[in-house]
């Protein structure tokens, strides 16, 4: 592994060159928020972002993705990846990408996701501004961010560029990089360590403690009580970097002969997520109450997947907290309450 | 020649909303000539009471799905007047482009889908699909274009979303404006020129009828009145008078007529006309030069008294609105401070305010009063179609005897009356101020 | 799209796991007013290879895709059978298909029944309504290989006599040696001479079940608890009770998340579960 | 679908602004003509003079049921049509027309001294389904033409149309809009029925729930959020959702009647 350094103006040129020769995606401003979007010039890139509205999963697993097209009785696959460079991913999102990589790869390899993923070079970047609802400092600290190709850390005068894979190394040709000196490397380490202490929200227990206690509180009253204010809007699912459930629907094009089968993000908080038809118009809903749906999400984040992922399926980005209009989705609030029960 | 006439058109087709034509004569003696409006009343002025000022235009926009842009603009302008809101130049210009988009959109819809079948002798546009596919395709293309044009500025064309009291919630980007301009020139203008040719080719089918009346339209010193201004009328002898909008009640003089169910209006004469022809008659001198040229071709540089010529006036306005929009786009593009997310202007006071805006079918008045919390206490809307009802009735009363005199058959008379109604492009679904009665 | 700038394998190598394969319908039969049987053969001529209890994602382009269990015995390899109950969008559209039509399938999916633990043991199958479909494959298999199993009992419950499916099956079984078929309906009518009552009433009508019997349960969600109360009375350990579960599914391959029961995926970890495995999974029943 | 006879459709309108019909003219050439390959329009008063007495495959009804006098016409449409689709908010929920349903003095407010003319019917503005059975609904004010095309496409194939039950927030999030509450505004997206793609929040204006409510709307919490997060007064928070959903709310006059 090599570590390089590039100064501020060198970095601007570097981004400018990348824009010219590659498909570059990174954090850009949208009104008073940020989103991952196309970078067309250096000024578009906002590495000072706190968090993006949607996580980077949208780049591999779009909110609506065609999975096959049909022409009468013939189906045709829609896997058609586009190489891209994803620049400026915070470490919590890197963790989450690593989780979805595993989940889409295990048992049945889902190339509708993996093809896009493999075509993407991921360059992380340090967190310059901490979102007010984030708690990445206290969740799943035992899980290492991995799976990215390189990592940029802003220090005084420029950026330290940690090169992890050949995909990242290949990018060196676009900028005037030097070997980073020890001092620069130390500074970068410090920056990345310090940010962990800057979250205003915090879980009070370790993942293992939480895992056990939350799993045992299945029958707690807290679920229905908190969920009284739930709109079943699934926003907390949609914005979560580790949620990946989907629905599949078929539609015809206007010619009524050809059409498309597409999957779109679904969420377990939506009322009909576990509804099945029993015939004669009757319906069974396996998670009928708001509380049972709300509980399922928190259980999934805090306990169900821990064994598989080596830690909780929550990376502490705080997206769900800020997006929930009635402010009940925050895992920190509910988990800390359970831990005190 | 004495004969019995019994025309009873229940729900005239190819007009927006419901209207009936009833003409009876016995032994050559006219017993009844009526233009009736059986539209269900919807009580908009009652509904706005108790609603916040930010919602009022959303509600009154629903008065009419065709002139929704005009209703929205009239409503927010009246609200802005009531609340002491002065919007920015960027907002004004953007809204004017939106107004032009609606004007063109509606005129295209009306000319191609509602009027053209009469001129081509078809019952509707659908039989024209195989007969004149190019014309139909052009019509659909132009309608779609106008929809995209209006949607870019207003969010959508039916009940536009972005126009709100204090400005616009969002503005198109400069790139989007540039693209709109390019498409207007490259795609729309050629189609508009073809449209002129099409209408010219059937111009001889436009009936020849004349009735002198008063014409009312928005008047502005600096431009062809559409989006804002005072009120002006022109009399058959050419004399003009300008009125303040706040006096709208004294200009429109709503009254209940025993002849009809909709409230009638009048100013100096028994009735007045509003609409594209009223606008051209009032404001010919402020038309864009290109539009003036077209008006001259059709003899509309002089006061015109043939109500069927409203359709020609619409065509003239299409040309005017396209050219004016192109100029407005250029002005916005030249503005260095142009801001896609320009903040909306907040109220500075509360009270009452009125505004007049030209919708495709004529002058439209909105008037509201708000309390200190910005909650609407009362509202009043006077829509153009209502203002035209009395005039249509008077046209009927002159036209029917003339047609009988000319020995026209019942079918021909019916068609002539239907075409007359359609030429006004009445938008009867704007059912404010309708009374409901059972018609026999 | 070529991927010159990255080391991903080229698109041609990526198999789309959602792409169904064509099969041909060789025969159909309405078995009740709402259930239709389809005999199906892979279009490429390959043999049917599956475990009883496994299922397929059956798709019809434009309408969608639904999970449907195999209904025939895997010993018969040339073609296989599925039974579809018309309840909604896809199932109703599938009902319109006829002999000769194409049908598109992904599968076999899921785990199927634990044949090893069933073999050489007494087996009881408790099937309610459409729940008979996924177990039918097992029933046919047991009857095919009768001497590999001990006592075999089948409980079948339907809502009413006219909701009974597979009359032919049951009539045939009743005539066979070594199979003990008991039927019941929730609500009888004048034509019905058999047992009336919920399916658990059948436990008192036979002595072929004991604490070593392996039990398979498949039916509407409310049925499970009551049946297990009965097997508990008989002292059958929960590790010998198998349930065949049904949940909403959109992919059948452990991705879409709809079929989860706590941390389990019905499509991957099931649809057949040992009851003991689910006992501490509150969402199972 | 080749060789299949065209599906006969007809359009009817009641109390409404006719904006939904206008949306139909906005499809543009290719899309419109494609649709015409599969459907034959047999009656459409606003666009054509022809009418029919034949059986109709699909009848589209726009507008609210606002006066007893319209019941007969609705019933005769139901009799002639195999499938009845209510399209647009007015027809599906009563839409904006129902905003007066809780008032007693709306006639006086509009007509003053003429209010007691005997022919001013004072019936509630109700959805079409209050008079006849409606098979499917295309929600929205105006209805969304793409959703309309999709629903028609499903029906042409005999498939029950897929219409979401979940709230607009879902689609708003999927489109990565900045939530209006985060911009200091307010919104009804949390209780409004989705299917429109959340165009309003995308343009920075609140969702007014013109499509009616999602299933099981959390009306109580909506009031709370409007007060706590948008700073609404008690009264405004209570009445906010009345604009398009007067007939769906917990205090809908229709609900007492049932
Ligand atoms: C493992 C398994 C085996 C099954 N075997 C059979 C069988 O052999 N025969 C049979 O008739 N039925 C079987 N079912 C049930 C069958 O899948 C549903 O009846 C079917 O999905 C209903 O879909 P629909 O589109 O007709 O109904 P809709 O009501 O239109 O359903 C819409 C969507 O909801 C989902 N859904 C609704 N109900 C169910 C359900 N019960 N299970 C899973 N998803 C559902 C589907 O994704 C479906 O596409 C089985 C289900 C599972 C899980
Ligand atoms: S918890 Fe919040 S974000 Fe999640 S569904 Fe409920 S209201 Fe929506
Ligand atoms: S649960 Fe919330 S905080 Fe945790 S990863 Fe998901 S969106 Fe982020
Ligand atoms: S803007 Fe409205 S619809 Fe969008 S997320 Fe916020 S509350 Fe929901």
């Amino acid at each position: 592994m090599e570590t390089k350094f590039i100064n501020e103006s060198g970095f601007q040129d570097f981004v400018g060159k990348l824009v010219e020769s590659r498909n570059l995606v990174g954090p850009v401003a949208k009104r008073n928020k940020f989103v991952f979007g196309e970078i067309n010039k250096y000024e578009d890139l906002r590495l000072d972002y706190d968090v993006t509205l949607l996580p980077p999963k949208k780049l591999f697993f779009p909110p609506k993705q065609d999975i096959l097209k049909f022409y009468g009785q013939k189906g045709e696959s829609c896997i058609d990846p586009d190489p891209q460079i994803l620049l400026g991913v915070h470490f919590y999102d890197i963790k989450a990408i690593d989780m979805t990589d595993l989940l889409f790869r295990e048992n049945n390899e889902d190339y509708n996701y993996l093809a896009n993923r493999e075509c993407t070079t991921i360059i992380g970047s340090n967190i310059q501004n901490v979102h007010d609802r984030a708690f990445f400092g206290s969740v799943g600290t035992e899980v290492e961010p991995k799976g990215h190709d390189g990592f940029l850390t802003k220090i005084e005068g420029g950026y330290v560029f940690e090169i992890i894979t050949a995909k990242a190394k290949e990018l060196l040709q676009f900028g005037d990089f030097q070997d980073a000196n020890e001092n620069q490397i130390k500074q970068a380490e410090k920056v990345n360590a310090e940010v962990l202490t800057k979250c205003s929200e915090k879980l009070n227990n370790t993942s293992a403690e939480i895992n056990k206690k939350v799993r045992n509180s299945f029958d707690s009253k807290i679920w229905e009580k908190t969920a009284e204010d739930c709109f079943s809007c699934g926003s907390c699912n949609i914005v979560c970097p580790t949620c990946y459930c989907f629905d599949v629907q078929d539609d015809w094009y206007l010619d009524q002969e050809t059409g498309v089968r597409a999957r779109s993000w679904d969420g377990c908080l939506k009322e009909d997520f576990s509804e099945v038809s029993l015939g004669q118009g009757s319906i069974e809903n396996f998670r009928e109450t708001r509380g049972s749906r709300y509980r399922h999400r928190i259980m999934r984040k805090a306990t169900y997947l821990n064994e598989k992922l080596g830690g909780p399926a929550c990376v502490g980005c705080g997206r769900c907290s800020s997006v929930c209009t009635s402010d009940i989705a925050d895992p920190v609030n509910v988990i800390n309450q359970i831990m005190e029960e | 020649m004495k004969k019995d006439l019994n025309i009873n058109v229940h729900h005239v087709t190819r007009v927006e909303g419901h209207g009936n034509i009833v003409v009876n004569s016995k032994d050559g003696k006219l017993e009844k000539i009526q233009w009736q409006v059986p539209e269900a009343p919807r009580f908009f002025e009652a509904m706005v009471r108790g609603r916040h000022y930010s919602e009022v235009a959303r509600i009154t926009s629903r008065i009419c799905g065709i002139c929704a842009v005009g209703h929205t603009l009239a409503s927010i302008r009246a609200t802005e007047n009531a609340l002491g809101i002065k919007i920015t130049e960027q907002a004004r210009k953007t809204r004017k482009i939106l107004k032009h988009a609606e004007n063109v959109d509606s005129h295209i819809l009306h000319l191609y889908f509602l009027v053209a079948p009469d001129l081509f002798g078809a019952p509707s546009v659908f039989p024209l699909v195989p007969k004149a596919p190019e014309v139909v395709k052009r019509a659909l293309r132009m309608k779609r274009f106008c929809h995209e044009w209006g949607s870019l500025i207003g969010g959508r064309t039916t009940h536009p979303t972005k126009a709100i009291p204090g400005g616009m919630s969002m503005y198109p980007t400069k790139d989007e404006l540039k693209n709109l301009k390019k498409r207007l020139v490259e795609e729309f203008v050629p189609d508009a020129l073809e449209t002129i040719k099409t209408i010219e080719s059937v111009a001889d089918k436009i009936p020849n009828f004349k009735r002198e009346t008063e014409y009312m339209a928005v008047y502005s010193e600096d431009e062809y009145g559409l989006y804002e201004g005072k009120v002006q009328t022109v009399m058959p002898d050419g004399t003009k008078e300008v009125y303040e909008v706040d006096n709208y009640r004294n200009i429109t003089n709503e009254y209940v007529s025993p002849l009809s169910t909709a409230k009638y209006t009048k100013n100096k004469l028994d009735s007045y006309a509003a609409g594209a022809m009223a606008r051209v008659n009032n404001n010919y001198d402020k038309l864009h030069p290109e539009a003036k040229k077209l008006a001259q071709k059709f003899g509309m540089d002089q006061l015109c008294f043939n109500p069927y010529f409203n359709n020609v006036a619409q065509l003239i306005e299409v040309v005017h609105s396209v050219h004016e929009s192109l100029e407005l786009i250029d002005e916005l593009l030249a503005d260095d401070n142009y801001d896609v997310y320009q903040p909306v202007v907040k109220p500075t006071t509360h009270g009452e305010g009125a505004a007049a805006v030209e919708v495709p079918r004529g002058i439209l008045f909105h008037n509201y009063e708000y309390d200190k919390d910005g909650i609407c206490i009362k509202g009043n809307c006077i829509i153009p179609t209502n203002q035209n009802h009395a005039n249509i009735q008077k046209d009927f009363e002159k036209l029917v005897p003339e047609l009988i005199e000319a020995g026209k058959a019942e079918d021909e008379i019916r068609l002539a009356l239907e075409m007359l109604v359609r030429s006004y492009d009445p938008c009867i679904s704007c059912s404010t101020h309708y009374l409901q009665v059972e018609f026999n | 799209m070529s991927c010159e700038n990255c080391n991903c394998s080229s698109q041609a190598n990526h198999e789309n796991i959602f792409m169904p394969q064509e099969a041909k319908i060789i025969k159909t039969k309405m078995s009740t007013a709402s259930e239709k049987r389809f005999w199906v053969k892979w279009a490429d001529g390959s043999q049917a290879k599956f475990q009883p209890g496994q299922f397929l994602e059956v798709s019809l382009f434009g309408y969608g895709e639904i999970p449907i269990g195999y209904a025939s015995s895997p010993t018969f390899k040339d073609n296989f059978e599925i039974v579809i109950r018309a309840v909604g969008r896809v199932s109703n559209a599938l009902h319109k298909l006829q002999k000769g039509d194409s049908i598109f399938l992904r599968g076999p999916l899921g785990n199927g029944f634990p044949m090893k633990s069933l073999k050489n043991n007494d087996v009881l199958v408790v099937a309610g309504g459409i729940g008979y479909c996924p177990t039918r494959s097992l029933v046919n298999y047991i009857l095919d290989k009768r001497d590999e199993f001990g006592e075999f009992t089948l409980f079948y419950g339907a809502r009413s006599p006219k909701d009974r499916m597979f009359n032919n099956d049951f009539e045939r079984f009743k005539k066979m040696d070594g199979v003990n078929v008991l039927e019941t309906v929730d609500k009888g009518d004048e034509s019905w001479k058999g047992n009336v009552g919920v399916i658990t009433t059948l436990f008192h009508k036979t002595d072929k079940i004991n604490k070593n019997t392996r039990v398979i349960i498949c039916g509407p969600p409310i049925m499970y608890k009551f049946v297990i109360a009965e097997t508990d009375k008989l002292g059958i350990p929960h590790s010998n009770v198998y349930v065949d579960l049904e949940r909403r599914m959109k992919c059948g391959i452990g991705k879409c998340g709809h079929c989860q029961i706590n941390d389990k995926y019905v499509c991957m970890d099931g649809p057949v579960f040992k009851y003991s495995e689910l006992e501490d999974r509150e969402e199972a029943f | 679908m080749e060789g299949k006879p065209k599906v006969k459709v007809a359009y009817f309108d009641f109390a409404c602004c006719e904006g939904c019909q206008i949306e139909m003219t906005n499809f543009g050439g290719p899309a419109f003509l494609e649709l015409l390959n599969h459907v034959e329009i047999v009656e459409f008063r606003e666009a054509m003079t022809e009418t029919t007495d034949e059986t109709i495959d699909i009848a589209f009804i726009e507008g609210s049921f606002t006066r007893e006098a319209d019941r007969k016409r609705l019933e005769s449409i139901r009799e002639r049509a195999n499938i009845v689709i209510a399209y647009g908010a007015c027809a599906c929920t009563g839409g904006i027309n129902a905003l007066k349903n809780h008032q007693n003095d709306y006639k006086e407010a509009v007509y003053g001294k003429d209010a007691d003319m005997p022919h001013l019917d004072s019936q509630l503005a109700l959805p079409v389904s209050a008079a006849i059975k409606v098979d499917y609904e295309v929600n929205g004010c105006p209805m969304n033409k793409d959703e309309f095309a999709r629903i028609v496409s499903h029906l042409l194939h005999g498939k029950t149309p897929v219409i979401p039950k979940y709230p607009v927030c879902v689609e708003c999030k999927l489109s990565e809009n900045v939530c209006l509450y985060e911009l200091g505004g307010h919104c009804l997206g949390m209780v409004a029925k989705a299917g429109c793609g959340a165009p309003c929040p995308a343009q920075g204006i609140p969702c007014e729930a013109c499509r009616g409510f999602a299933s099981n709307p959390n009306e109580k919490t909506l009031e709370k959020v409007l007060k706590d997060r948008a700073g609404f007064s008690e009264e405004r928070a209570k009445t906010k959702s009345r604009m398009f959903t007067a007939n769906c709310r917990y205090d809908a006059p229709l609900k007492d009647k049932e």
Side-chain angles (χ1 to χ4, degrees), chain B residues 185-421:
Chain B
V185 173
E186 289 173 10
E187 296 173 32
F188 194 76
V189 169
D191 276 346
L193 294 175
E194 283 303 309
T195 307
I196 295 172
K197 278 193 206 148
T198 305
I199 299 286
E200 276 173 343
S201 74
V202 288
D204 57 327
K205 303 233 168 57
I206 301 175
N208 193 6
F209 168 68
K210 242 186 196 175
R211 191 180 70 82
E212 296 189 347
T213 189
E214 185 180 357
Y215 297 92
M216 187 185 288
V218 165
Y219 165 79
S220 161
E221 268 173 40
D222 344 294
E223 62 185 7
Y224 185 84
L226 283 173
Y227 166 71
E228 60 192 347
K230 298 182 178 181
V231 182
Q232 177 179 284
T233 69
V234 55
M235 303 303 287
D237 64 0
T239 51
K240 292 177 176 174
E241 185 170 349
V242 176
Y243 307 84
E244 291 300 322
V245 174
D246 286 345
N247 291 335
Y248 75 97
R249 283 180 200 272
N250 301 331
I251 318 168
T252 55
N253 303 299
E254 281 191 301
Y255 65 101
V256 176
S257 151
L259 255 182
S260 170
T261 57
K263 280 191 184 173
Y264 276 14
T265 55
K266 64 175 179 189
N267 186 31
K268 290 185 186 159
L269 300 179
D270 280 353
S271 71
Y272 62 83
M277 197 169 94
R279 290 192 288 266
V280 175
N281 275 348
N282 267 290
N283 298 321
Y284 166 81
D285 52 328
K286 301 218 165 56
L287 279 170
H288 189 276
E290 289 297 321
K292 266 189 191 155
K293 267 194 239 160
L294 187 64
Q296 283 155 10
K297 230 182 192 172
F298 282 98
M300 287 195 73
D301 48 343
Q302 307 294 318
L303 278 185
C304 171
F305 301 110
N306 180 353
Y308 291 99
F309 261 63
N310 195 42
N311 299 327
V312 176
Q314 290 175 325
L315 197 59
I316 294 166
E317 285 196 338
V318 167
V319 174
H320 172 79
S321 279
V322 169
H323 285 283
E324 287 287 309
S325 297
L326 289 172
E327 285 174 14
L328 285 162
I329 293 171
D330 281 337
E331 288 173 31
L332 288 175
L333 288 175
D335 179 357
D336 291 335
N337 295 319
Y338 185 84
D339 179 2
V340 174
Y341 294 114
Q342 190 184 68
V344 295
V345 182
K346 295 267 170 289
T348 58
T349 173
H350 62 92
E352 192 173 344
V357 165
E358 283 290 340
V359 288
R361 285 145 199 90
I363 191 163
L364 165 67
F365 299 96
H366 277 230
N367 164 213
Y368 306 100
E369 189 180 342
Y370 294 98
D371 72 10
K372 63 175 189 350
D373 299 318
I375 302 295
C376 186
I377 307 168
K378 68 173 205 247
N380 190 27
C381 311
I382 298 182
I383 60 149
T385 299
N386 274 12
Q387 300 171 58
N388 276 328
H389 284 319
N391 213 56
I392 295 177
Q393 176 69 32
K394 298 277 177 236
D395 283 352
F396 272 21
E397 287 167 15
K398 180 162 190 280
L399 178 60
V400 173
E402 282 182 22
L403 292 173
I404 293 175
E405 196 59 33
K408 299 282 182 196
E410 185 171 305
D411 276 355
E412 288 173 293
I413 297 176
R414 180 190 299 115
L415 182 64
L417 294 179
E418 284 192 31
M419 282 173 68
L420 180 78
V421 169

Side-chain angles (χ1 to χ4, degrees), chain C residues 243-254:
Chain C
V243 295
D244 191 349
L245 295 183
E246 213 177 87
R247 284 295 187 276
R248 187 190 189 89
M249 280 180 195
K250 278 296 179 184
C251 72
I253 50 173

